[in-house]
Amino acid sequence: MHKDIATPGRTKEILARYGFSFKKSLGQNFLIDTNILRKIVDAAGISGDTGAIEIGPGIGALTEQLARRAKKVVAFEIDSRLLPILADTLSAYDNVRIIHQDVLKADLHAVIAEEFAEVSDRMVVANLPYYVTTPIIMKLLTERLPIRGMVVMMQKEVADRLAAKPGTKDYGSLTIAVQYYTEAEVVMTVPRTVFMPQPNVDSAVIRLTKRSHPPVAVEDEEVFFQVVRASFAQRRKTLLNNLLNNLPDGKEKKEQIERALDAVGIDPRRRGETLDMAEFASLSNALMPLFRVYIN
């Protein structure tokens, strides 16, 4: 067994050997706690049949733990300065491939088809850079990739939003988008002290298990998400106010919006965060006639 990368001493030694300096713009915070990394791999249910996709491997701390258990690991790294470091730290593992690319620009369907053709189980496992957490998660979900789900570390407050329940301060349009595609569950909180350099906030690991089909029936997903976003546009405003101000031609269609709310039995004076996903689904279906003009 090789010496773990994720210890303070080994991390410092690797960084010193390569003269590596952290780039704030890339949100680089490397984990220096092997125990937490193993728990992440456990939470993802990685086995010898799993193909793991990692985003932002850094110097390979999580990659190494994945490589020891998965059939294959494919990691996307945007920072070219890390490529020679990864080639060195992961040289003992022949089941790892590093792709030097921004995952937001990658054709993930093509990568999965090419790299994981012989793998029956696929999981995304990553310590996500804080500044692009939401775009990465939305890309992974909306592209409907052939994966079982993802176990990802992110800023704790973002994780709380993804797993939030209706009526709470963390519940919002991002909650609904994520829970439409997956079942979300915070696995553990991770203190800032186990990172180098230390971030200003605590982190959390969240498990998002892909649903076989959405929990609600919507006539048009685009309309559904547009109604959800409009309902949360200004949290202190009533649902009716938000819909009038944030739907296409909302103000001119006040009567139709009021009729739709009435038809599904939703009080227009409620606030967006009090509606559950089923209520948003019935409301967006009732509002469909307003959108016919905008849908080709």
Side-chain angles (χ1 to χ4, degrees):
M1 184 69 78
H2 299 273
K3 211 161 64 160
D4 288 320
I5 294 167
T7 63
R10 181 100 200 275
T11 299
K12 278 182 186 153
E13 178 235 312
I14 292 165
L15 297 175
R17 189 184 333 145
Y18 285 90
F20 182 83
S21 56
F22 293 94
K23 261 194 189 161
K24 209 163 183 190
S25 64
L26 293 177
Q28 289 169 332
N29 302 94
F30 298 162
L31 258 169
I32 48 171
D33 187 312
T34 312
N35 196 24
I36 286 171
L37 289 169
R38 289 198 188 110
K39 284 183 181 167
I40 291 171
V41 178
D42 287 343
I46 302 297
S47 72
D49 300 319
T50 309
I53 299 165
E54 190 189 0
I55 297 151
I59 59 171
L62 176 59
T63 326
E64 167 182 73
Q65 301 297 331
L66 289 167
R68 288 176 186 169
R69 279 202 243 168
K71 184 167 178 136
K72 184 170 189 184
V73 184
V74 172
F76 287 88
E77 181 50 65
I78 198 170
D79 187 351
S80 56
R81 301 173 307 148
L82 287 165
L83 302 181
I85 303 180
L86 288 163
D88 174 6
T89 59
L90 300 171
S91 59
Y93 305 98
D94 60 3
N95 59 340
V96 175
R97 168 144 190 247
I98 307 293
I99 299 177
H100 176 37
Q101 189 181 15
D102 178 351
V103 75
L104 290 171
K105 296 179 181 151
D107 180 345
L108 292 174
H109 280 279
V111 170
I112 289 169
E114 188 183 325
E115 301 288 342
F116 297 134
E118 290 152 37
V119 173
S120 56
D121 177 51
R122 306 173 187 107
M123 260 322 250
V124 172
V125 190
N127 170 18
L128 293 175
Y130 286 168
Y131 74 106
V132 282
T133 298
T134 306
I136 289 174
I137 283 184
M138 290 319 297
K139 175 185 168 87
L140 294 170
L141 295 179
T142 55
E143 291 190 359
R144 290 186 155 82
L145 300 170
I147 58 175
R148 175 164 50 90
M150 51 185 111
V151 170
V152 284
M153 172 129 59
M154 60 186 65
Q155 203 167 323
K156 183 177 181 299
E157 75 180 48
V158 179
D160 289 341
R161 278 164 60 200
L162 303 194
K165 301 273 187 284
T168 61
K169 69 173 175 55
D170 291 319
Y171 182 73
S173 53
L174 182 62
T175 315
I176 292 169
V178 167
Q179 293 183 20
Y180 181 81
Y181 296 107
T182 69
E183 289 181 54
E185 162 198 11
V186 175
V187 178
M188 62 176 161
T189 301
V190 181
R192 60 194 81 181
T193 49
V194 299
F195 292 93
M196 185 185 292
Q198 276 191 35
N200 302 325
V201 292
D202 289 333
S203 301
V205 175
I206 193 164
R207 179 167 45 220
L208 302 174
T209 308
K210 201 172 152 190
R211 296 181 187 272
S212 51
H213 50 81
V216 291
V218 300
E219 285 177 38
D220 186 289
E221 285 183 0
E222 220 172 291
V223 169
F224 171 68
F225 288 120
Q226 193 164 352
V227 169
V228 168
R229 280 194 301 271
S231 304
F232 285 99
Q234 289 171 284
R235 287 187 81 96
R236 300 175 77 94
K237 294 218 162 155
T238 64
L239 187 59
L240 178 60
N241 247 320
N242 267 329
L243 295 173
L244 295 180
N245 290 314
N246 298 287
L247 286 182
D249 304 328
K251 285 183 176 143
E252 289 87 82
K253 296 181 174 164
K254 184 171 186 237
E255 273 176 49
Q256 287 154 280
I257 292 172
E258 286 175 327
R259 272 204 304 274
L261 285 162
D262 189 47
V264 293
I266 293 173
D267 185 334
R269 292 165 303 184
R270 282 173 68 184
R271 294 214 166 104
E273 66 261 29
T274 68
L275 274 68
D276 63 21
M277 204 184 307
E279 289 177 305
F280 275 119
S282 54
L283 177 58
S284 75
N285 291 342
L287 287 169
M288 272 300 288
L290 267 69
F291 287 86
R292 296 253 180 251
V293 167
Y294 303 96
I295 297 166
N296 307 322

